[in-house]
Amino acid sequence: MIVVTGATGNVGRPLTKALAEAGEQVVAVSRHAAEVPDGVRHRVADLSDPESLDLNGAKALFLLLSGDLHAVGASPAALIERAAAHGVSRVVLLSSLGVRTRPFGTTRVELRALEDVLRESGLSWAVLRPGGFASNALWWAESVRAQRTVAAPFGDTGLPIIDPADIAEVAATALLSDRDGVLELTGPELITPRQQAEVIADALGEPVRFHELTRAEAKAGMEQLMPGELADDTLDIIGSPTPDEVAVSPDVEKVLGRAPRTFADWTARHVEAFR
């Protein structure tokens, strides 16, 4: 049995579906009741309380924590300790590329510590470190629907954003493997916010205007959704990426035997969100 936490999110949902279609016995875990694919069991758990996560009978665990790790109980490491105590043999952890490229931010320090706990746990393990997600474009969905406008800072700075469906496929492969290691996951090419607006326009068959925000304007909007420190951190990455953050990783293709999906691929599957 494979337990998937964060099972209703952008990665967890396609991961659960992929595992079920592969014939695996899957338990989908989320904070609230949710619909899951046929043949998949659902359990409610709050990962801030590790005791709420039922791992009885599990052989593998996909561990996805919120970006705000310090909100996860006394220690996220308790989740890995609980997995080991319940006979789980393999854990696949969703981490972040920033653990390597920007190791000193609060969240990334905590993720690095969690990675270290996993390495030292005696379990079989894999760590997935994706860069930016294509699904972050959904932040623009309301303004595209209402005004056919994408408003974002740093309009001409590109990053190799990744389709969460590719992360899910890599995770499914990693859960069924016995190979330990770190995988860095990116899309196939750099794409700027302005270019993303053009791709959305092509998918809609209608013009979409790009409006470039100042850093201050972007931060003000982001602070409605996240702490100011995290907003600044995100703006640093998307505004002044390091050479490692603009590098295209070969790991998706190594694992899946094909190139990563493009932003256009992601947009084609989600165009109704913008219509």
Side-chain angles (χ1 to χ4, degrees):
M1 184 177 74
I2 299 173
V3 173
V4 176
T5 63
T8 59
N10 290 319
V11 175
R13 190 178 297 278
L15 171 57
T16 299
K17 184 173 184 288
L19 290 170
E21 289 177 349
E24 297 296 323
Q25 185 181 0
V26 185
V27 173
V29 175
S30 62
R31 287 192 179 191
H32 307 289
E35 292 186 7
V36 295
D38 290 343
V40 172
R41 285 183 286 162
H42 181 264
R43 292 177 184 165
V44 173
D46 182 347
L47 298 190
S48 66
D49 174 16
E51 295 296 318
S52 71
L53 181 60
D54 184 357
L55 294 171
N56 287 323
K59 67 175 183 179
L61 169 66
F62 177 71
L63 186 55
L64 186 159
L65 301 171
S66 71
D68 198 14
L69 284 186
H70 49 272
V72 184
S75 170
L79 292 163
I80 294 173
E81 294 164 1
R82 182 171 177 80
H86 281 73
V88 172
S89 60
R90 183 163 177 81
V91 174
V92 174
L93 171 67
L94 186 66
S95 184
S96 167
L97 182 62
V99 167
R100 180 171 68 82
T101 63
R102 297 176 188 257
F104 300 113
T106 301
T107 298
R108 292 184 296 278
V109 167
E110 293 168 333
L111 272 173
R112 167 69 77 177
L114 188 57
E115 289 184 10
D116 290 343
V117 169
L118 180 55
R119 286 188 185 90
E120 297 164 6
S121 67
L123 301 175
S124 174
W125 60 273
V127 170
L128 310 184
R129 292 180 180 167
F133 285 26
S135 54
N136 288 345
L138 291 172
W139 293 347
W140 305 324
E142 183 177 352
S143 66
V144 173
R145 288 194 304 267
Q147 301 168 341
R148 288 296 188 255
T149 298
V150 165
F154 315 117
D156 298 308
T157 301
L159 289 167
I161 57 176
I162 184 166
D163 189 326
D166 282 343
I167 302 173
E169 284 193 38
V170 171
T173 301
L175 284 162
L176 300 174
S177 170
D178 59 0
R179 181 177 299 177
D180 295 353
V182 175
L183 296 168
E184 294 188 347
L185 309 179
T186 72
E189 60 193 0
L190 301 185
I191 185 167
T192 69
R194 193 183 307 275
Q195 290 168 332
Q196 290 178 61
E198 293 169 357
V199 170
I200 293 168
D202 288 344
L204 289 170
E206 299 180 26
V208 172
R209 184 173 70 97
F210 182 80
H211 171 65
E212 185 152 12
L213 299 175
T214 66
R215 182 182 175 114
E217 289 170 336
K219 182 178 178 182
M222 293 168 70
E223 284 181 320
Q224 299 177 31
L225 303 172
M226 62 184 72
E229 178 188 359
L230 185 55
D232 274 326
D233 195 41
T234 301
L235 289 165
D236 288 343
I237 294 171
I238 64 176
S240 301
T242 68
D244 285 340
E245 287 164 343
V246 298
V248 173
S249 169
D251 286 354
V252 170
E253 187 161 6
K254 285 180 180 178
V255 173
L256 301 182
R258 61 163 177 80
R261 296 176 175 94
T262 65
F263 182 72
D265 294 329
W266 177 88
T267 303
R269 301 198 318 275
H270 296 86
V271 66
E272 293 306 316
F274 300 96
R275 200 175 294 285

